[in-house]
Amino acid sequence: MDIKNKSLLKNLSYVDGEWINANDGSVTEILNPANSESLGSVPNCGSSETVAAIEAATKAQTKWSKADVKERALVLRNLHRLMLENQDDLAKIITFEGGKPISESVGEIAYAASFFEWFSEEAKRVYGDVIPGHQYDRRTLVIKQPIGVVGCITPWNFPSAMLARKIAPAIAVGCSIVSKPAPETPFSALAMAYLSELAGLPKGVLNIVTGDAEQIGAALTGHKDIRKITFTGSTSVGKLLLKQSAESVKKVSLELGGHAPFIIFDDADLDAAVDGALIAKYRNSGQTCVCANRIYVQSSIYDDFCERFTQKTSGLLVGNGLEEKTQQGPLISNNAMKKVSLHIKDAKDKGAKIATGGNPHALGGLFFEPTVLTGVTDDMLIAKEETFGPVAPIFSFESEQEVIRRANDTSYGLAAYFYTSDLGKSWRVSEQLEFGMVGLNTGIISTEMAPFGGIKESGLGREGSKYGVDDYLEMKYISLAGIEE
Ligand code: NAP
């Protein structure tokens, strides 16, 4: 990988402040999705390396939880600064391993770094409570304490931001972490571990174990010293980890899949809605959990919207993410290509029309044409399943109540979007959408300052914002008796 600061490129796992190989020396090769070239390899660790990491984290946690809060805040501030000082190189690493257009990768690093800044501030605001005593000689105190060692598993689509969103609050409140990155994108996580060392994080507080998902997942969920599991990824793996964690009743946070409705009412600013839908659909080639999956347009403006949206979609520049002008990179894998093709074929077979795209891109490999489907109906696969690709299915609707019912008709509940200029409708629809996050007249909702997360089968818990520390804390109530003389 051609970057300036070569020290960011680590090809070993990071345990107890040491860079380690797998015990059996085995490795996994990492490929660039834009051209299938090898980017190097990382250790293929399993249970024993994970247990060693948990033991190191357990030892480190006792000390870290007692560190002065200002020391923890300083480490996080340092990490924020170091991420931004290395922003261009870290962004290139994301693009090399994940394929994302470089401008989006630069944005992801800024987003990831923002969590270190935010939680450096929140570290000092972990307040308790004093409650009136229930008897005359009693007082009741509530304190919050770090939950303990955290097991963390992250996906490939935001390899830097998803990790930062979890480790920043953990570090802030005094937890230590054992984390497994996705096998497609381990280098971003290893670079972050390297920077954490420079930032002054004591050894053992952050451990990164690359390798076998089932073994590492089982070791994390099965170990008594892991007190919390935090996971971002698919709903099916989230459910499995929740089941595995039930045995020892661990606290679990899950950021899972989504199936976001994107609703455009006929009183909306249509140009703004087209631009909002474009960014909400095609960011990261449609491979984000908050991507618009179902675009509902009120029937009176349906044709007009489809025409404008299709025109802009067909102008999107597809190519290697490292080229500055690229707006859409490759998909992550052959399986992703297959799922996109399957959704398009199923929709076509059931009567949808392809307004633009619809095929693998002429560039070959993992590139797919940005696609718009019109005349989409609720019986099509794409109306139910997460596509995770650059396909925009456009549905038509008549009334507010109808579209709310159809938008909510999903087991997912992560993000929803709608465009309107009517104040009353803004409130009514926001309140009735069964999703953890609602974008009103915007297609971009992620910020470290707001609580990110879903309801229903999209997850448990919230990340970012003042609420983001709660998942890493335990509440303790102290009943103080014998006050009166
Ligand atoms: P995934 O298949 O669930 O993988 C996510 C992570 O889980 C990877 O590190 C994976 O490692 C690991 N994993 C898989 N099986 C495991 C097991 N049995 N035990 C322990 N770990 C296991 O999801 P993905 O395809 O990478 O990511 C896309 C999904 O993530 C989408 O559904 C998307 O909506 C969701 N997502 C949600 C959010 C959110 O904030 N809600 C954000 C981003 C993405 P291996 O690949 O090695 O198996």
Side-chain angles (χ1 to χ4, degrees), residues 153-157 162 165 180-183 213-214 217 231-234 237 240-241 255-258 289 386 388 414 452:
I153 299 176
T154 50
W156 48 265
N157 63 344
M162 296 302 96
R165 206 158 76 174
K180 185 200 99 66
E214 281 181 26
F231 170 74
T232 296
S234 62
V237 174
L240 177 74
L241 295 172
E255 294 288 348
L256 308 177
C289 53
E386 206 178 9
F388 239 55
L414 192 59
F452 193 104

Side-chain angles (χ1 to χ4, degrees), residues 152-158 162 165-166 180-184 211-218 220-221 231-238 240-241 244 254-259 287-291 332 386 388 412 414 437 452-454 458-459 463:
C152 165
I153 299 176
T154 50
W156 48 265
N157 63 344
F158 289 91
M162 296 302 96
R165 206 158 76 174
K166 296 176 184 310
K180 185 200 99 66
E184 296 84 355
D212 186 288
E214 281 181 26
Q215 283 194 39
I216 298 171
L220 290 174
T221 51
F231 170 74
T232 296
S234 62
T235 296
S236 57
V237 174
L240 177 74
L241 295 172
Q244 289 178 189
L254 302 172
E255 294 288 348
L256 308 177
H259 205 267
Q287 302 171 115
T288 89
C289 53
V290 291
C291 268
I332 195 69
E386 206 178 9
F388 239 55
Y412 292 112
L414 192 59
M437 299 173 285
F452 193 104
S458 285
E463 293 186 330

Side-chain angles (χ1 to χ4, degrees), residues 246-259:
E247 191 56 36
S248 50
V249 195
K250 297 190 196 310
K251 191 164 171 172
V252 179
S253 303
L254 302 172
E255 294 288 348
L256 308 177
H259 205 267

Side-chain angles (χ1 to χ4, degrees), residues 175-196:
C175 295
S176 60
I177 304 121
V178 178
S179 188
K180 185 200 99 66
E184 296 84 355
T185 55
F187 294 116
S188 293
L190 296 170
M192 200 181 284
Y194 166 69
L195 292 179
S196 75

